[in-house]
Amino acid sequence: MPTDSITAPEDVSSKVDIPPVEDLLSTAVEAVGGVERPGQITMVRAVQHAIESGDHLAVQAGTGTGKSLAYLIPSIRHAMTSKGAVVVSTATIALQRQLVDRDLPRLAKALAPQLPHEPTFAILKGRRNYLCRYKASAGWPDEEQDQLFDPREVNATGRMVQRIQEWANETETGDRDELVPGVNEQAWRQFSVSARECLGATRCPSGMECFAELARARAGESDVVVTNHALLAIDAMEDFPLLPEHEVVVVDEAHELVDRVTSVVSGELSETMVTVAVRRVGKLIEQHLADRLLEAGEDLRALLAVAPAGRLDELPDVLGLTLALIRDSAWACITALGPRTGDKDDPEGAGLRKAAFTSLDEVHDTAQRMLDAFGHAEEIDRAEVVWLEAGTDRRPPLLRVAPLTVAGMLRDRLFGDRTVILTSATLALGGAFDGLARQWGLGAEGGGKPAEEDEAGEAGAAPKSGKKTGKSRAGWNGIDVGSPFDHPRSGILYVAEHLPQPGRDGLPEAYIDEITELIEAAGGRTLGLFSSMRAAKAATEALRDRLSVPLLCQGDDSTMLLVKQFAEDEPTCLFGTLSLWQGVDVPGPSLRLVIIDRIPFPRPDDPLSSARQRHVAAKGGNGFMSVAATHAALLLAQGAGRLLRSQHDKGVVAVLDPRLATARYAGFLRDSLPPFWPTNDPAKVRSALKRLSAS
C-alpha cells in the first residue's frame, strides 16, 4: 500500500492546534537553508502515520534524503501531545552527537513558534559511560592491576587514572566522552560501575549527585531522548527500566540493530573473570570457598590453553565437569555472602558486596548458560552456540556464548508494546525488507508469520524491481523513499568479470594489476575496501612502489586522522577494512573510485555465522542465503554507498570479485546495491575515470 495513499486516523494533535507534519517540515527546511525532497516528504508522512496507527515501520532512505528531519519532526509532534518522550536510538557516537549538537538544537529553535513549547532533548548512555562519584571516592581496589604486564602500559594507565581524577573535580556531566584524548578500559573501570553493580540512588552516599541519575532525570523531562542500540536493548531485556516512559522508538542505523543486540545478550567466561569475582568476594566469605572457585578458574585456563579455537558442537566431558564446578563454586560463594541488601549503615561495605554479587552472578549464570547450550536431541532445538576464542598477547583464551537468533527477544520485548520506526540507507536487501525483518522478529514482508515460523525462508525471494512497499498481518510497513541522487548518471558499477575468483592465499597478482590500472586512471582519489586487514596491508605494500599518489592504510594512524587526510588531499588513496565500509563520509572530488576486493561473506569458520546458517538449514531454509548472503548484501550496499555523498559526486564502484556477475546468488546481491549504471568492460571504466580526473 503506497504511503501517499494512506488515510490517517483522526489527528489528535489538532486539539492543541499543532500544524501538520508537512507544514512543520517546510518550516524546518527553510530554517536550515535546505530544500524539501520528495523522499523526505514521503518519509515524514509515513512516520506520522505509523505513530498514529501503531504499526511498525521500516524506511529505507538513501543518503541525502534528509531522514533525520523526516523522523524527528513527527516524533517531536507526538511528544507534544503525549505523556512520554520519543526515544531515538543510533548505532554510532557520531550520529548521536550530530543529533544532539546540530540537528535537534536547530530544529527546536525553528519549530518553537508553532508548538506549545520549545522542544527539549537529552542524550542518555549506559551507566558505564558515566563517572561514579562513590567509586571514585571510596578507593575500591584495582581489580586488573596484574593484568598489565608491559611496564609502559602500566605507566600509561597510571597517567590516565590521574587525568580522570583531575577531570572528576571539574566535570559537570561525568560523561566519559568529555575526556579528550580518551582513556583505556583499565583506567576507566576504576571510576565506573555497571547497572547491576550500582547500589541505587537511595542507598548510595553519592546518590543525590550521581551523574548517571542526573542524566536520566534530564532525559525524563525531555521530549526527545537520544540513546544507543545497546542501551535500548538492555532497557527492553531487563526488568528494571533504564529509559524514560515512551510509546515510540526510532531506530536509526537500523541495519546494525541485530548485531548490537546480539552483542548485549552474549556472554563470555575466562579465568580472568573468575579471578576478578574471587578478588571482589575477598574476605567477605570463608577462604576455602573462594579458593575452590579460584581453583576451578585455573582448571578452565588449563583446558582452554590446549584446546583448538572454534565452535563447540558437542560439550567435551572434561569441559562440562569444569563448567559445572565453576557454576557450583560460584553459587556456594553467593550463598555464603548472605542477604543481598547488606547493612544499610555501611554503604562502603554494601558497595563491595554488590560488586561481589555482580561478578559471581555473571560467572554462575554464564557457566549454566553454556551447559544449557548442549544436550539437545535435534539441531532445531538448539538455542545458543558456544565457541572458544583464541587468546592474544594481551589476554588469555575465553569461551563465548551467543543466541542463534534474537528475533524472538526483539519481537516480544522491543516491538511488543511500543511503535518502532526503523530506518537506514540500507534495509531492503535483494529488493525486499524480508531478510532484516525476519531477524528483527517481524516475519516476512506481507506474510506476517512470527519470526520462529518464518526465519527459515530464503532471502531474496521477493520481487526484484520497483519501489518496495508492503504491509503484513504482523502490523508493519516497509517503504523505500528512494534517493535524491541520480545513480545511473552519477555512478558506474563495474564488476571485473575477467578476473579469477578470489582465493584464500591473499590477493592474486591479477587483482594488484587491476587495482593499479584503476587508481592510475582515477588519479588517486580511491577508497579501497578490503574483506580483511591482511588483504588491505598486502595491497598497500604491493602498490606503494607502483603508484605515484600517496597511499594510506588503516592502522598507520587513527582512523579519524587518516580519513581527514584522505579527504583534504585529492590524489590520496585510503585502504582499510570493516569500519571504513560503513564509517566514511567524504563528499567531493577526493573520492572518485571505491574498490571492493571481494564479496564480504562472513568467514566460513566464523562460529556464530556458521551456527546460524546450520540452524536455518535445520528448519528447512537456505542457511547460506538467509545468513551469509544477507550479511554480504548489507556490507556491499554500505560499501557502495560511500561513493555518492552529495548531489555533485560522480565516480565508480569497482568490485573485483567476478562472482558478483556469475554466481547464482549474484542477482540478490546486485539488487541490494544502488542502481548504478552497470558494466563489465574495464576499458570503459578506465576511460570514464580518466574523464573524471581531467574535469
Side-chain angles (χ1 to χ4, degrees):
M1 182 167 59
T3 303
D4 288 342
S5 67
I6 292 173
T7 301
E10 181 182 354
D11 187 2
V12 295
S13 64
S14 62
K15 298 174 183 177
V16 289
D17 198 27
I18 299 178
V21 288
E22 295 88 347
D23 292 352
L24 294 175
L25 177 62
S26 296
T27 299
V29 170
E30 182 179 354
V32 300
V35 178
E36 286 188 45
R37 304 175 180 96
Q40 190 179 45
I41 296 171
T42 301
M43 181 174 173
V44 80
R45 290 172 177 166
V47 173
Q48 176 69 11
H49 177 265
I51 291 173
E52 292 174 341
S53 67
D55 283 347
H56 306 304
L57 176 68
V59 186
Q60 178 163 286
T63 302
T65 301
K67 63 182 171 69
S68 296
L69 282 184
Y71 65 66
L72 286 174
I73 286 172
S75 296
I76 289 173
R77 192 174 188 274
H78 173 73
M80 293 287 130
T81 60
S82 67
K83 295 181 180 179
V86 171
V87 171
V88 176
S89 177
T90 76
T92 62
I93 292 175
L95 183 53
Q96 288 177 40
R97 296 264 48 116
Q98 175 187 315
L99 290 171
V100 173
D101 295 341
R102 191 190 72 179
D103 294 350
L104 280 165
R106 293 196 297 179
L107 187 57
K109 184 177 179 180
L111 298 184
Q114 301 184 57
L115 300 174
H117 64 262
E118 181 169 330
T120 56
F121 51 90
I123 188 168
L124 186 61
K125 305 174 183 179
R127 191 171 290 270
R128 272 284 191 196
N129 292 278
Y130 299 98
L131 180 136
C132 173
R133 289 186 186 273
Y134 175 53
K135 188 170 185 179
S137 62
W140 289 8
D142 178 4
E143 297 150 357
E144 301 192 19
Q145 55 190 348
D146 64 351
Q147 300 301 314
L148 296 171
F149 302 104
D150 188 334
R152 291 171 298 180
E153 292 190 19
V154 173
N155 290 336
T157 298
R159 289 191 295 271
M160 291 177 186
V161 167
Q162 185 176 354
R163 273 209 301 126
I164 298 172
Q165 289 171 332
E166 294 170 353
W167 168 77
N169 294 323
E170 59 189 40
T171 179
E172 296 182 359
T173 67
D175 188 336
R176 179 180 179 176
D177 288 337
E178 282 187 6
L179 278 165
V180 179
V183 296
N184 64 28
E185 278 298 307
Q186 286 80 10
W188 183 250
R189 282 178 187 169
Q190 297 180 45
F191 298 88
S192 66
V193 296
S194 68
R196 291 183 179 275
E197 293 169 327
C198 177
L199 285 173
T202 58
R203 298 185 62 208
C204 178
S206 302
M208 296 299 293
E209 52 183 3
C210 172
F211 288 122
E213 291 296 328
L214 291 172
R216 190 163 181 263
R218 286 192 296 270
E221 297 171 353
S222 301
D223 297 311
V224 178
V225 178
V226 179
T227 188
N228 56 64
H229 293 352
L231 187 61
L232 180 70
I234 296 170
D235 179 73
M237 306 301 170
E238 298 287 358
D239 294 329
F240 49 87
L242 300 173
L243 295 168
E245 182 180 346
H246 59 281
E247 300 172 345
V248 176
V249 175
V250 178
V251 181
D252 203 342
E253 301 173 306
H255 61 279
E256 295 202 41
L257 179 63
V258 169
D259 285 345
R260 299 301 173 105
V261 173
T262 299
S263 179
V264 166
V265 297
S266 295
E268 64 180 52
L269 188 63
S270 67
E271 185 211 11
T272 300
M273 287 180 57
V274 175
T275 302
V276 168
V278 171
R279 280 190 186 150
R280 286 186 169 187
V281 79
K283 299 177 181 179
L284 300 176
I285 62 173
E286 294 182 17
Q287 188 64 43
H288 73 91
L289 294 175
D291 288 345
R292 182 183 172 199
L293 178 58
L294 187 64
E295 290 169 2
E298 292 171 349
D299 291 345
L300 180 66
R301 178 191 61 188
L303 276 178
L304 300 187
V306 297
R311 191 181 72 213
L312 297 176
D313 293 331
E314 301 293 337
L315 180 64
D317 290 341
V318 64
L319 179 58
L321 291 172
T322 303
L323 288 174
L325 180 59
I326 289 173
R327 176 199 61 194
D328 296 343
S329 299
W331 183 252
C333 293
I334 291 170
T335 303
L337 271 174
R340 291 179 179 261
T341 53
D343 186 351
K344 295 181 180 180
D345 297 325
D346 180 19
E348 182 173 349
L352 294 174
R353 287 172 58 80
K354 187 69 178 287
F357 272 121
T358 300
S359 283
L360 290 168
D361 285 341
E362 185 176 8
V363 168
H364 172 273
D365 294 350
T366 304
Q368 182 63 61
R369 184 176 167 187
M370 289 176 174
L371 290 168
D372 291 342
F374 300 96
H376 302 287
E378 302 290 340
E379 172 62 31
I380 197 171
D381 298 323
R382 191 190 296 265
E384 300 203 288
V385 58
V386 177
W387 71 94
L388 170 60
E389 189 171 293
T392 67
D393 293 338
R394 295 176 57 83
R395 63 158 181 79
L398 53 84
L399 286 174
R400 291 193 182 277
V401 58
L404 288 168
T405 175
V406 295
M409 299 180 200
L410 288 173
R411 186 193 65 245
D412 296 340
R413 305 303 295 268
L414 178 62
F415 295 97
D417 58 359
R418 56 179 64 83
T419 301
V420 183
I421 315 296
L422 305 116
T423 185
S424 169
T426 310
L427 293 181
L429 303 178
F433 294 92
D434 294 16
L436 288 179
R438 275 192 292 268
Q439 295 181 17
W440 296 330
L442 294 179
E445 185 177 17
K449 297 178 183 178
E452 287 84 354
E453 299 174 28
D454 190 64
E455 66 180 343
E458 180 172 335
K464 298 292 191 285
S465 62
K467 298 298 181 187
K468 284 71 72 174
T469 61
K471 176 174 168 49
S472 79
R473 293 188 299 274
W476 70 278
N477 292 289
I479 182 168
D480 179 355
V481 300
S483 167
F485 302 151
D486 188 346
H487 286 92
R489 291 180 177 273
S490 300
I492 296 173
L493 174 64
Y494 165 54
V495 181
E497 191 173 354
H498 63 284
L499 291 179
Q501 287 195 17
R504 295 187 178 183
D505 301 325
L507 288 173
E509 187 65 24
Y511 280 46
I512 299 297
D513 294 338
E514 185 78 18
I515 295 172
T516 302
E517 293 174 356
L518 289 169
I519 291 178
E520 287 177 341
R525 302 176 175 85
T526 299
L527 178 65
L529 303 177
F530 293 84
S531 54
S532 69
M533 186 54 72
R534 185 180 71 168
K537 290 181 176 178
T540 303
E541 192 173 316
L543 290 167
R544 273 185 171 146
D545 293 335
R546 296 194 187 195
L547 298 172
S548 59
V549 296
L551 179 53
L552 308 175
C553 184
Q554 194 172 4
D556 291 346
D557 205 331
S558 75
T559 300
M560 182 178 67
L561 290 176
L562 290 173
V563 172
K564 184 175 185 291
Q565 187 177 343
F566 171 61
E568 292 177 351
D569 184 28
E570 283 190 24
T572 297
C573 302
L574 174 60
F575 288 0
T577 185
L578 188 60
S579 62
L580 297 186
W581 285 72
Q582 305 184 77
V584 175
D585 185 9
V586 180
S590 292
L591 178 52
R592 292 292 190 227
L593 172 63
V594 174
I595 294 176
I596 296 174
D597 71 326
R598 64 190 298 161
I599 298 171
F601 292 119
R603 289 172 55 93
D605 59 354
D606 178 82
L608 183 54
S609 174
S610 60
R612 284 176 167 172
Q613 289 187 57
R614 184 179 62 179
H615 190 67
V616 171
K619 291 189 170 188
N622 187 323
F624 172 79
M625 291 300 296
S626 293
V627 179
T630 295
H631 172 92
L634 183 58
L635 273 181
L636 270 179
Q638 286 285 310
R642 301 308 98 200
L643 181 66
L644 303 184
R645 309 303 296 179
S646 74
Q647 293 277 10
H648 304 293
D649 289 347
K650 295 180 181 296
V652 172
V653 174
V655 181
L656 307 185
D657 191 336
R659 292 175 296 177
L660 191 59
T662 60
R664 58 180 177 80
Y665 49 78
F668 169 70
L669 296 180
R670 289 196 304 271
D671 284 339
S672 304
L673 297 174
F676 297 119
W677 183 78
T679 183
N680 298 330
D681 188 337
K684 288 182 178 178
V685 170
R686 290 195 295 270
S687 177
L689 287 170
K690 288 176 182 177
R691 289 195 301 272
L692 278 176
S693 179
S695 63

